[in-house]
Amino acid sequence: MTCYDRRDLGLLLLRLGTGGVLMAHGAQKLFGWFGGHGLEGTGQFMESVGYAPGKASATAAGLAEAGGGALLALGLATPAAGAAAAGAMAGASAVHVPNGFFAMSGGYEHAASLGLTAAGLAVTGPGRLSLDHALGHTVDRNWMVPAALGATAAATAVIVGLRTKRLRRREEDEQEALFEE
Protein backbone atom coordinates (compact mmCIF):
# COMPACT_ATOMS: atom_id res chain seq x y z
CA MET A 1 0.00 0.00 0.00
CA THR A 2 1.34 3.41 -0.96
CA CYS A 3 1.54 6.09 1.66
CA TYR A 4 0.89 9.63 0.45
CA ASP A 5 2.42 12.59 2.20
CA ARG A 6 1.22 16.13 2.83
CA ARG A 7 2.92 17.36 -0.34
CA ASP A 8 0.89 14.96 -2.50
CA LEU A 9 -2.35 15.96 -0.78
CA GLY A 10 -1.48 19.66 -1.11
CA LEU A 11 -0.71 19.30 -4.81
CA LEU A 12 -3.99 17.43 -5.31
CA LEU A 13 -5.95 20.22 -3.62
CA LEU A 14 -4.09 22.89 -5.59
CA ARG A 15 -4.70 21.03 -8.87
CA LEU A 16 -8.39 20.45 -8.14
CA GLY A 17 -9.02 24.06 -7.12
CA THR A 18 -7.05 25.69 -9.91
CA GLY A 19 -8.19 23.19 -12.51
CA GLY A 20 -11.83 23.59 -11.47
CA VAL A 21 -11.72 27.37 -11.73
CA LEU A 22 -10.00 27.18 -15.12
CA MET A 23 -12.52 24.62 -16.41
CA ALA A 24 -15.39 26.89 -15.38
CA HIS A 25 -13.81 29.89 -17.13
CA GLY A 26 -13.28 27.85 -20.28
CA ALA A 27 -16.87 26.54 -20.17
CA GLN A 28 -18.13 30.13 -20.00
CA LYS A 29 -16.29 30.90 -23.24
CA LEU A 30 -17.00 27.66 -25.08
CA PHE A 31 -20.57 26.86 -24.02
CA GLY A 32 -21.99 29.94 -22.30
CA TRP A 33 -22.26 28.04 -19.00
CA PHE A 34 -22.03 29.70 -15.58
CA GLY A 35 -23.20 33.05 -16.90
CA GLY A 36 -20.75 33.10 -19.80
CA HIS A 37 -21.45 34.36 -23.31
CA GLY A 38 -20.43 31.31 -25.37
CA LEU A 39 -18.27 31.49 -28.46
CA GLU A 40 -20.30 34.19 -30.21
CA GLY A 41 -20.38 36.65 -27.33
CA THR A 42 -16.87 35.88 -26.18
CA GLY A 43 -15.65 36.15 -29.77
CA GLN A 44 -17.16 39.63 -30.05
CA PHE A 45 -15.51 40.62 -26.78
CA MET A 46 -12.15 39.20 -27.87
CA GLU A 47 -12.37 41.20 -31.08
CA SER A 48 -13.21 44.37 -29.13
CA VAL A 49 -10.09 44.01 -26.96
CA GLY A 50 -7.80 43.36 -29.92
CA TYR A 51 -7.68 39.58 -30.22
CA ALA A 52 -8.55 38.72 -33.82
CA PRO A 53 -10.22 36.86 -35.25
CA GLY A 54 -12.48 36.99 -32.23
CA LYS A 55 -14.23 33.63 -32.47
CA ALA A 56 -10.97 31.75 -33.09
CA SER A 57 -9.39 33.59 -30.17
CA ALA A 58 -12.35 32.71 -27.94
CA THR A 59 -12.10 29.07 -29.00
CA ALA A 60 -8.35 28.93 -28.32
CA ALA A 61 -8.71 30.62 -24.92
CA GLY A 62 -11.67 28.43 -23.97
CA LEU A 63 -9.86 25.23 -24.94
CA ALA A 64 -6.67 26.26 -23.13
CA GLU A 65 -8.63 27.09 -20.00
CA ALA A 66 -11.13 24.20 -19.99
CA GLY A 67 -8.70 21.62 -21.37
CA GLY A 68 -5.72 22.80 -19.36
CA GLY A 69 -7.88 23.00 -16.25
CA ALA A 70 -9.30 19.51 -16.71
CA LEU A 71 -5.86 18.03 -17.27
CA LEU A 72 -4.45 19.88 -14.26
CA ALA A 73 -7.28 18.60 -12.06
CA LEU A 74 -6.60 15.06 -13.23
CA GLY A 75 -2.85 15.47 -12.98
CA LEU A 76 -2.42 14.34 -16.59
CA ALA A 77 0.15 15.81 -19.00
CA THR A 78 0.85 18.33 -16.27
CA PRO A 79 3.62 20.30 -18.06
CA ALA A 80 1.48 20.88 -21.15
CA ALA A 81 -1.69 21.48 -19.12
CA GLY A 82 -0.04 24.03 -16.86
CA ALA A 83 1.64 25.78 -19.77
CA ALA A 84 -1.60 26.01 -21.78
CA ALA A 85 -3.49 27.46 -18.83
CA ALA A 86 -0.66 29.87 -18.00
CA GLY A 87 -0.58 31.09 -21.60
CA ALA A 88 -4.32 31.74 -21.61
CA MET A 89 -4.03 33.63 -18.34
CA ALA A 90 -1.13 35.71 -19.67
CA GLY A 91 -3.39 36.76 -22.55
CA ALA A 92 -6.18 37.59 -20.10
CA SER A 93 -3.77 39.54 -17.89
CA ALA A 94 -2.76 41.67 -20.88
CA VAL A 95 -6.38 42.77 -21.26
CA HIS A 96 -6.65 43.76 -17.59
CA VAL A 97 -3.27 45.47 -17.11
CA PRO A 98 -4.62 48.98 -17.89
CA ASN A 99 -6.96 48.62 -14.90
CA GLY A 100 -4.14 48.01 -12.43
CA PHE A 101 -3.47 44.99 -10.27
CA PHE A 102 -6.55 44.43 -8.13
CA ALA A 103 -9.51 42.47 -9.52
CA MET A 104 -12.03 44.73 -7.76
CA SER A 105 -10.93 47.49 -10.16
CA GLY A 106 -10.94 45.18 -13.19
CA GLY A 107 -7.23 44.45 -12.81
CA TYR A 108 -5.16 41.40 -13.63
CA GLU A 109 -4.87 39.96 -10.10
CA HIS A 110 -7.11 36.92 -10.68
CA ALA A 111 -5.74 36.01 -14.11
CA ALA A 112 -2.15 36.39 -12.92
CA SER A 113 -2.79 34.23 -9.85
CA LEU A 114 -4.33 31.45 -11.94
CA GLY A 115 -1.54 31.66 -14.51
CA LEU A 116 1.25 31.57 -11.96
CA THR A 117 -0.38 28.67 -10.12
CA ALA A 118 -0.76 26.72 -13.37
CA ALA A 119 2.87 27.42 -14.30
CA GLY A 120 3.97 26.41 -10.81
CA LEU A 121 2.11 23.11 -11.13
CA ALA A 122 3.75 22.52 -14.52
CA VAL A 123 7.15 22.96 -12.88
CA THR A 124 6.57 21.05 -9.62
CA GLY A 125 4.59 18.22 -11.16
CA PRO A 126 1.26 16.75 -10.07
CA GLY A 127 2.36 14.62 -7.12
CA ARG A 128 1.60 10.96 -6.55
CA LEU A 129 -2.19 11.41 -6.41
CA SER A 130 -2.40 11.92 -10.18
CA LEU A 131 -2.92 10.16 -13.46
CA ASP A 132 0.62 11.13 -14.49
CA HIS A 133 1.97 9.13 -11.55
CA ALA A 134 -0.42 6.22 -12.19
CA LEU A 135 0.72 6.07 -15.84
CA GLY A 136 4.42 6.16 -14.98
CA HIS A 137 4.87 9.81 -16.03
CA THR A 138 4.75 8.95 -19.73
CA VAL A 139 3.40 12.45 -20.54
CA ASP A 140 5.15 14.19 -17.65
CA ARG A 141 8.87 13.97 -18.41
CA ASN A 142 11.39 16.50 -17.10
CA TRP A 143 12.25 17.75 -20.59
CA MET A 144 8.57 18.52 -21.24
CA VAL A 145 8.50 21.28 -18.64
CA PRO A 146 10.86 23.74 -20.38
CA ALA A 147 9.58 22.65 -23.80
CA ALA A 148 5.92 23.30 -22.91
CA LEU A 149 6.57 26.52 -21.03
CA GLY A 150 9.00 27.80 -23.67
CA ALA A 151 6.68 27.08 -26.59
CA THR A 152 3.73 28.61 -24.75
CA ALA A 153 5.74 31.70 -23.78
CA ALA A 154 6.82 32.22 -27.39
CA ALA A 155 3.30 31.77 -28.78
CA THR A 156 1.81 34.01 -26.09
CA ALA A 157 4.38 36.73 -26.77
CA VAL A 158 3.50 36.69 -30.47
CA ILE A 159 -0.28 36.73 -29.84
CA VAL A 160 -0.14 39.48 -27.21
CA GLY A 161 2.29 41.43 -29.41
CA LEU A 162 -0.11 41.25 -32.38
CA ARG A 163 -2.93 42.39 -30.11
CA THR A 164 -0.87 45.36 -28.96
CA LYS A 165 -0.17 46.30 -32.60
CA ARG A 166 -3.88 46.09 -33.45
CA LEU A 167 -4.80 48.30 -30.50
CA ARG A 168 -2.15 50.89 -31.43
CA ARG A 169 -3.33 50.90 -35.03
CA ARG A 170 -6.94 51.30 -33.88
CA GLU A 171 -5.93 54.19 -31.62
CA GLU A 172 -4.01 55.88 -34.45
CA ASP A 173 -7.01 55.51 -36.79
CA GLU A 174 -9.25 57.10 -34.15
CA GLN A 175 -6.78 59.97 -33.72
CA GLU A 176 -6.65 60.54 -37.48
CA ALA A 177 -10.45 60.61 -37.63
CA LEU A 178 -10.49 63.31 -34.95
CA PHE A 179 -8.15 65.55 -36.91
CA GLU A 180 -9.93 65.05 -40.25
CA GLU A 181 -13.18 66.57 -38.99
Side-chain angles (χ1 to χ4, degrees):
M1 181 160 173
T2 308
C3 180
Y4 301 104
D5 61 20
R6 289 185 351 201
R7 180 181 175 275
D8 295 315
L9 183 57
L11 286 169
L12 174 64
L13 294 172
L14 195 57
R15 287 192 349 261
L16 290 174
T18 303
V21 170
L22 286 163
M23 285 189 298
H25 276 277
Q28 287 179 312
K29 290 173 181 64
L30 295 172
F31 311 116
W33 297 351
F34 312 114
H37 300 287
L39 285 177
E40 284 301 319
T42 303
Q44 291 171 6
F45 171 76
M46 295 289 250
E47 194 86 35
S48 77
V49 296
Y51 288 114
K55 194 169 183 179
S57 297
T59 301
L63 289 173
E65 291 173 10
L71 291 172
L72 279 175
L74 294 169
L76 180 62
T78 303
M89 292 299 99
S93 292
V95 171
H96 295 284
V97 161
N99 301 322
F101 178 71
F102 292 103
M104 65 185 273
S105 302
Y108 63 95
E109 170 187 20
H110 184 64
S113 294
L114 286 172
L116 288 169
T117 303
L121 287 166
V123 172
T124 61
R128 291 184 288 176
L129 296 170
S130 67
L131 287 179
D132 276 337
H133 181 74
L135 298 172
H137 296 278
T138 55
V139 288
D140 177 32
R141 303 279 186 212
N142 285 337
W143 65 267
M144 294 175 182
V145 174
L149 291 172
T152 300
T156 302
V158 168
I159 291 166
V160 171
L162 289 171
R163 173 189 177 262
T164 301
K165 269 180 133 171
R166 274 187 215 93
L167 292 176
R168 283 191 187 133
R169 196 173 324 122
R170 188 184 298 169
E171 197 174 283
E172 289 169 2
D173 291 345
E174 288 172 6
Q175 288 292 324
E176 286 177 23
L178 286 174
F179 291 116
E180 289 175 4
E181 293 178 9

